Amino acid sequence: MKKTYLGIILASTLVFANSCTDLDEKVYSEVLAKDYKPTEKDIPSLIGPVYTVMRPMMMGWQGYFDVQEESADAIVTPARPNGWNDGGTYQRMHRHEWTSEQWQPWNLWLNCYTGITNANRVISQIESGKIEVTKGKEELLAELRTVRAFYYYLLCDNHGNVPIVTDYNDVNLPQQKTQLEVYNFVVSELKACIPLLNTEVSTATYGRFTKWAAQTLLARVYLNAITYTGTGKWDECEAYCDSVILGGKYLIEPNYKASFVTNNETSREIIFAVPYDETKGTGFSNHMKTLDPLMRKVFKMEAQPWGGSCAVPQFINTYDPEDSRLTDTWIMGDQINPDNGVVEITYTNTCKSIYGTARNEGYRIGKYEIKQGAKGSLSVDFPIFRYSEVKMMKAECLLRNGHADEAATIVTEIRGRAFKSNPAKATVTGA
């Protein structure tokens, strides 16, 4: 018999006490949609599966971070004495020679379509009346469509031409769309949903798409429109950046690290983030992939790291020595055991070859705080959108539209916190 289930996790707790003898309660192994009448308190549980797929996708094993960084300028994962050849997957990403069977883009594809399917399911349940929402229905549907548009943005940006599926009940094989069609779909969905979205910035909306997060997403889509469409959308991007800026909800944190520390949900710079917790919301395993196994002693970790990944030396050489982001982002030099003062490993700014290098070569990623006693997952939320990005997008639009001096003012503002020891170095000019 075919059954329709809600995407709800039911947790039961057994409490044993001498005084507890009345155990007459009905225990359910499943809850059918027809038997479930949700209330407003159940909304987070209903939409949860639409968001939670972001945890393994963003900072999990061979997810979005790897797709973006292994193929770019800053990160490399060379073969080490403890492994990391992995069939040449990282070398192919570094050389831009990946195939359709490459794990990282494939994992991103699967995670995006899992999120899209979950969104389509909940939208279908609400629109059909299987889930009755009596208050805030339009806002909730707009939020679900916005999350779905976010997944399609990732697919548009990373894969290009993909199928667009919006009907959960359609069993036909979907047709592939061009990158331009996917771009147009994302823009259309976001423009339709933004006026309906929540404007509140609080713990209740943290980790969810608000009007400000959706505007930032649309600004980012417009920023790269020249790649997707062949035509720049600088005015449109700047307009949505201005909407976020004029909203007055966010600020540039005086301390760069404030957006990347444990329990960073208090950062006023974060517009949208994926929440992680070392025990209740796991998946942030980037530190395991970058730290050498010896770092377990340095951080007194409860888990044994297995890394590998490091900075490309030429990228490190682009930093000004007085730029505080260098030490805020990278773990370098002697790494000391806090119990006995022994140097466990010394990281050097070298990397002989992606095909084989020493275990201590290459600075390691320390941008996201690794606390003493760290587990296999961190409690550092991953910021997808930050206010500083909004300001920098506006600066790029100004520059491309011929307003270089105005752009330079914004860039100087952002650089200011990275050059507190020498403020003059933060200043850039239109030239």
Side-chain angles (χ1 to χ4, degrees):
M1 181 175 67
K2 183 178 179 182
K3 298 179 181 179
T4 302
Y5 300 96
L6 293 172
I8 303 169
I9 298 175
L10 300 178
S12 60
T13 304
L14 296 179
V15 180
F16 295 94
N18 291 332
S19 60
C20 182
T21 58
D22 183 7
L23 300 179
D24 292 332
E25 59 179 293
K26 191 172 182 180
V27 179
Y28 296 90
S29 62
E30 59 188 28
V31 178
L32 303 184
K34 67 181 180 63
D35 299 325
Y36 180 69
K37 301 299 179 185
T39 67
E40 298 301 320
K41 294 181 179 180
D42 297 311
I43 294 299
S45 297
L46 295 171
I47 67 173
V50 182
Y51 283 101
T52 52
V53 69
M54 293 183 189
R55 285 198 183 115
M57 181 174 72
M58 285 297 168
M59 295 301 280
W61 177 245
Q62 296 192 346
Y64 181 65
F65 184 88
D66 277 13
V67 173
Q68 293 288 300
E69 300 297 346
E70 293 284 359
S71 60
D73 302 326
I75 301 294
V76 65
T77 304
R80 303 270 185 188
N82 64 323
W84 291 100
N85 181 63
D86 288 4
T89 182
Y90 305 109
Q91 290 94 329
R92 288 193 296 273
M93 291 293 287
H94 191 70
R95 298 194 308 262
H96 289 202
E97 295 176 356
W98 56 83
T99 69
S100 60
E101 297 180 352
Q102 189 76 14
W103 303 336
Q104 297 89 343
W106 176 236
N107 286 341
L108 179 62
W109 170 283
L110 291 176
N111 281 315
C112 281
Y113 274 108
T114 298
I116 289 166
T117 300
N118 289 342
N120 286 340
R121 172 178 55 78
V122 181
I123 290 172
S124 174
Q125 290 172 327
I126 293 174
E127 290 182 335
S128 67
K130 291 180 180 178
I131 296 177
E132 295 180 9
V133 179
T134 57
K135 182 181 178 181
K137 180 178 178 179
E138 285 192 351
E139 180 185 305
L140 181 57
L141 287 172
E143 180 182 354
L144 292 166
R145 289 170 62 189
T146 299
V147 185
R148 184 177 65 187
F150 171 68
Y151 289 124
Y152 273 117
Y153 154 70
L154 293 179
L155 291 167
C156 176
D157 192 57
N158 291 277
H159 293 82
N161 49 322
V162 300
I164 298 176
V165 181
T166 59
D167 185 354
Y168 180 71
N169 299 303
D170 187 356
V171 296
N172 296 312
L173 186 67
Q175 292 184 345
Q176 192 177 74
K177 302 296 183 180
T178 66
Q179 186 178 42
L180 178 59
E181 288 175 311
V182 180
Y183 162 84
N184 286 333
F185 172 77
V186 171
V187 169
S188 176
E189 285 289 281
L190 291 176
K191 290 177 73 173
C193 293
I194 283 172
L196 302 172
L197 290 171
N198 199 337
T199 59
E200 179 185 350
V201 177
S202 67
T203 55
T205 60
Y206 184 80
R208 296 173 61 176
F209 265 97
T210 62
K211 176 182 178 180
W212 318 110
Q215 287 179 329
T216 304
L217 171 57
L218 186 50
R220 185 188 283 187
V221 173
Y222 277 136
L223 184 75
N224 294 298
I226 193 170
T227 299
Y228 311 139
T229 71
T231 303
K233 297 288 185 179
W234 315 120
D235 291 338
E236 291 86 346
C237 176
E238 185 180 353
Y240 279 100
C241 288
D242 284 339
S243 293
V244 178
I245 293 169
L246 294 174
K249 301 288 186 178
Y250 306 96
L251 52 78
I252 303 297
E253 287 282 359
N255 179 6
Y256 173 75
K257 288 289 286 186
S259 297
F260 309 103
V261 296
T262 301
N263 301 321
N264 53 331
E265 63 268 14
T266 58
S267 170
R268 289 287 307 280
E269 189 169 329
I270 295 177
I271 297 174
F272 178 65
V274 178
Y276 287 92
D277 183 88
E278 62 184 12
T279 56
K280 298 177 182 178
T282 59
F284 197 124
S285 60
N286 184 260
H287 63 306
M288 301 292 285
K289 184 172 179 282
T290 191
L291 295 180
D292 182 87
L294 288 172
M295 294 297 287
R296 181 174 187 177
K297 299 178 181 179
V298 175
F299 286 111
K300 304 174 75 170
M301 295 175 65
E302 294 186 19
Q304 176 70 64
W306 13 262
S309 302
C310 67
V312 175
Q314 292 92 332
F315 180 78
I316 294 296
N317 294 337
T318 66
Y319 279 92
D320 185 293
E322 293 186 76
D323 187 338
S324 62
R325 290 171 297 184
L326 177 60
T327 53
D328 282 342
T329 304
W330 304 101
I331 299 172
M332 58 189 77
D334 292 344
Q335 302 303 306
I336 300 172
N337 187 319
D339 290 332
N340 54 27
V342 171
V343 176
E344 297 290 349
I345 190 171
T346 301
Y347 291 128
T348 61
N349 186 32
T350 56
C351 183
K352 290 192 294 286
S353 169
I354 60 174
Y355 303 104
T357 193
R359 66 187 300 167
N360 70 313
E361 291 196 63
Y363 293 166
R364 306 304 163 94
I365 303 169
K367 180 177 181 177
Y368 309 96
E369 183 186 18
I370 306 168
K371 69 176 185 178
Q372 288 288 305
K375 301 178 186 293
S377 183
L378 299 181
S379 293
V380 179
D381 298 343
F382 179 67
I384 294 180
F385 301 137
R386 288 185 294 137
Y387 186 59
S388 51
E389 178 189 353
V390 173
K391 301 278 280 189
M392 291 296 283
M393 286 194 290
K394 178 178 172 66
E396 180 166 348
C397 294
L398 288 168
L399 181 65
R400 290 179 180 270
N401 280 332
H403 305 289
D405 290 338
E406 293 179 55
T409 300
I410 295 174
V411 175
T412 298
E413 175 194 357
I414 303 300
R415 286 170 58 85
R417 64 180 175 186
F419 289 96
K420 292 177 182 176
S421 62
N422 190 348
K425 285 192 173 183
T427 304
V428 298
T429 65

